[in-house]
């Protein structure tokens, strides 16, 4: 038995060498792939560490200040960090007011806040107007008109007792660049900020509605709105109707 084992081993010495060589080649190949992967991860991390190349560095809320908003004479300024922020406090301390002001100041309608049916309802009782000031970071590749606004854009909103809403869009130095709602819409589109999207801004009432809703149709509506498919459907219907009206006018003019 021992003789057979020694003979069997000695009969195929090249086979053992080839197997060992193949194992070494596989280990070398694996080490090469690991090294390349590490290099790619390093380059990727280095890229995202450069503030000038970080896409998400534009559109971050840096601070917010509220005056005579809802039941609060003054809240803030609150400074926010670049990552996750938590707003904590007792009931009535202003947590919901901050979120509501954020929605309204960034162009959202009153109904979207679930805190009022009209803008004038956000003006503190006994005051003639309410003011909200929000500063958005404007850095990186997705910066909006960097040569005009600089590294920060401040959005000042004033709501009057009559329910009128006016804007002042300021640059980093505080200079008023625009007072047009269209400019604000362009800024929000550039930063991809969607205050009316329940995935972007999920209010307490909307979360309760979603969690306690038993109908599949309600969840489907939530999905359609969150993915903006509903907005796309409405835009398509509008474009289709406008196209038909335009064609009818062209035919009338041609006739």
């Amino acid at each position: 038995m021992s003789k057979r084992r020694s003979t069997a081993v000695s009969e195929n010495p090249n086979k053992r060498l080839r197997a060992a060589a193949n194992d070494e080649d596989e280990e070398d190949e694996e080490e090469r792939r690991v090294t390349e992967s590490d290099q790619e991860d390093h380059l990727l991390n280095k890229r995202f560490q450069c503030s000038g190349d970080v896409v998400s560095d534009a559109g971050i809320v840096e601070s917010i200040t509220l005056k005579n908003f809802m039941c609060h004479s003054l809240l803030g300024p609150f400074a926010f960090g670049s990552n996750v922020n938590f707003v904590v406090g007792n009931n009535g301390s202003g947590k919901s007011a901050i979120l509501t002001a954020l929605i309204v100041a960034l162009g959202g309608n009153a109904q979207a806040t679930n805190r009022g049916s009209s803008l004038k309802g956000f003006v503190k009782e006994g005051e003639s107007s309410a003011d909200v000031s929000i500063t958005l970071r404007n850095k990186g590749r997705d910066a909006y008109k960097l040569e005009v606004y600089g590294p920060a854009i401040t959005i000042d909103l004033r709501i009057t007792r009559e329910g009128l809403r006016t804007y002042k869009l300021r640059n980093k130095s505080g200079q008023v660049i625009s007072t047009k709602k269209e400019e604000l819409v362009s800024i929000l589109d550039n930063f991809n900020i969607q205050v009316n999207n329940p995935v972007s801004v999920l209010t307490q009432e909307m979360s309760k509605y979603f969690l306690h809703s038993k109908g599949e149709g309600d969840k489907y509506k939530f999905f359609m709105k969150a993915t903006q498919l509903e907005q796309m459907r409405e835009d398509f219907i509008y474009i289709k109707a406008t196209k038909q009206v335009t064609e009818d006018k062209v035919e009338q003019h041609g006739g």
Side-chain angles (χ1 to χ4, degrees):
M1 294 292 293
S2 60
K3 184 176 180 181
R4 288 177 183 172
R5 284 197 298 271
S6 61
T7 302
V9 170
S10 61
E11 284 176 354
N12 298 298
N14 293 334
K15 183 177 181 181
R16 293 185 61 194
L17 291 175
R18 286 196 299 270
N22 290 336
D23 290 341
E24 291 179 357
D25 291 340
E26 291 178 358
E27 290 178 359
D28 292 341
E29 178 65 19
E30 181 66 23
E31 290 180 358
R32 185 181 66 80
R33 287 198 297 265
V34 171
T35 302
E36 290 179 352
S37 177
D38 291 341
Q39 290 177 349
E40 291 176 357
D41 291 341
H42 175 71
L43 292 175
L44 188 62
N45 291 333
K46 185 177 181 180
R47 175 185 175 187
F48 282 100
Q49 286 172 357
C50 299
S51 60
D53 291 334
V54 178
V55 175
S56 62
D57 221 27
I60 294 175
V61 179
E62 291 189 337
S63 66
I64 184 171
T65 304
L66 284 62
K67 293 181 181 179
N68 299 325
F69 190 84
M70 296 177 68
C71 60
H72 305 280
S73 298
L74 177 63
L75 283 177
F78 297 106
F80 298 105
S82 300
N83 299 309
V84 179
N85 294 272
F86 293 91
V87 180
V88 298
N90 297 325
N91 291 337
S93 60
K95 302 186 299 297
S96 297
I98 294 174
L99 182 60
T100 301
L102 186 67
I103 295 173
V104 174
L106 296 182
N109 54 51
Q111 289 80 7
T113 66
N114 292 314
R115 291 286 173 172
S117 57
S118 63
L119 290 174
K120 61 183 180 181
F122 296 124
V123 180
K124 187 176 183 293
E125 189 66 30
E127 301 293 339
S128 60
S129 63
D131 295 286
V132 178
S133 180
I134 297 176
T135 299
L136 301 177
R137 190 172 303 173
N138 192 41
K139 299 178 181 178
R141 291 180 298 173
D142 284 350
Y144 180 82
K145 296 181 180 179
L146 184 60
E147 69 283 357
V148 177
Y149 287 96
I153 299 175
T154 299
I155 302 166
D156 289 338
L157 165 69
R158 169 158 289 188
I159 303 172
T160 66
R161 174 60 65 183
E162 292 73 27
L164 299 177
R165 174 165 45 184
T166 58
Y167 287 100
K168 290 183 179 179
L169 306 177
R170 304 179 185 272
N171 61 10
K172 176 66 174 179
S173 303
Q175 178 185 359
V176 177
I177 302 300
S178 177
T179 59
K180 296 181 179 180
K181 176 71 176 295
E182 292 77 10
E183 179 72 357
L184 174 62
V185 172
S186 297
I187 293 173
L188 298 179
D189 286 344
N190 186 80
F191 293 156
N192 197 25
I193 296 177
Q194 307 165 17
V195 292
N196 289 328
N197 190 325
V199 170
S200 299
V201 181
L202 184 61
T203 62
Q204 184 177 5
E205 287 72 17
M206 181 58 73
S207 64
K208 290 179 180 179
Y209 171 79
F210 177 73
L211 293 173
H212 296 155
S213 176
K214 297 180 180 180
E216 295 297 330
D218 294 334
K219 291 183 172 59
Y220 177 75
K221 291 178 181 179
F222 185 93
F223 166 80
M224 291 291 288
K225 187 174 183 179
T227 56
Q228 292 190 292
L229 290 175
E230 179 65 23
Q231 183 63 46
M232 293 175 64
R233 187 184 70 85
E234 294 176 357
D235 291 344
F236 175 76
I237 294 175
Y238 173 78
I239 293 172
K240 189 176 180 180
T242 304
K243 177 176 177 289
Q244 185 62 47
V245 172
T246 303
E247 289 178 349
D248 292 342
K249 289 183 177 180
V250 170
E251 290 180 359
Q252 292 176 3
H253 182 73

